Amino acid sequence: MPWTATNSEGHPAPAALAVDAVVLRVADRRLEVLALRTEDGRRALPGGLLGPRDDPAEAVRRVLAEKTGLDGIYLEQLAAFADPDRDPRGWIPSIAHLALVPADTTPRDPAARWVAARGRHRWAHDHRDMLALAVDRVEGKLWWSNVAVGLLPAAFTLSQARAVYEGVADTGYDGATFARDLKATGLVEPTGERRSDGPGRPAALYRFVTAAPAWGAGRRKRVSPA
């Protein structure tokens, strides 16, 4: 039987409130999302139900720590999904959150897997819509904010940054043009250090001017694909 509830005035009300997390990373120039497999073989975003005194932001952090082993990551509220038919258990709205993590992030939960964010997976509930909104938000902010600060290490080469930007935008960039235009945004600065990842001249390291997520900062900038 579906869950049902009424409020103190006798009107139908949500039976519960949930939180879900869209956790994204870029690995090998591919945008990936963290997913759990359901009993019927579909993919699901990490999530859970709120208690009567739970704060949604704290609850989603707890869910991520419990189900994936991820802790101490930046989260941003994405949107509320409240279609009465979104969950087969009953009317259970969900507050979706967005998290961005570096490529080397590995969940401890064996049920959690990184899958292509743009892949043709079967998703539970309305998780496909949550994922699509998250991808659209990150891609839309890529060139005019420091949104990629969550996807890159604290210090990175321009080649590393290019790989991340290509994964998010799902396109290729000319190396020289990318380097010029990323520096022109004013969002990154050189660290003064270099790193060698193999033969050849060591590459200069860069960092974001601010490591704190400031996803509304910077100048709007688009770079032409390669």
Side-chain angles (χ1 to χ4, degrees), residues 144-219:
W144 59 275
S145 79
N146 73 341
V147 67
V149 71
L151 299 168
L152 284 160
F156 51 86
T157 66
L158 291 177
S159 293
Q160 285 179 299
R162 179 183 168 195
V164 164
Y165 277 60
E166 287 181 343
V168 172
D170 195 26
T171 191
Y173 295 118
D174 173 76
T177 302
F178 174 85
R180 180 197 66 202
D181 288 345
L182 180 60
K183 288 184 282 188
T185 64
L187 294 169
V188 301
E189 63 184 4
T191 67
E193 300 177 348
R194 291 180 173 272
R195 183 175 66 207
S196 178
D197 293 328
R201 184 180 178 183
L205 291 175
Y206 287 79
R207 64 190 170 209
F208 282 95
V209 173
T210 175
W215 294 2
R219 296 178 295 176

Side-chain angles (χ1 to χ4, degrees), residues 21-39:
V22 184
V23 186
L24 298 175
R25 74 170 187 176
V26 175
D28 297 325
R29 287 180 163 80
R30 185 178 81 158
L31 187 64
E32 297 180 333
V33 61
L34 192 65
L36 302 168
R37 185 177 290 276
T38 63
E39 293 181 357

Side-chain angles (χ1 to χ4, degrees), residues 6-11 13:
T6 57
N7 61 24
S8 59
E9 296 297 318
H11 299 296

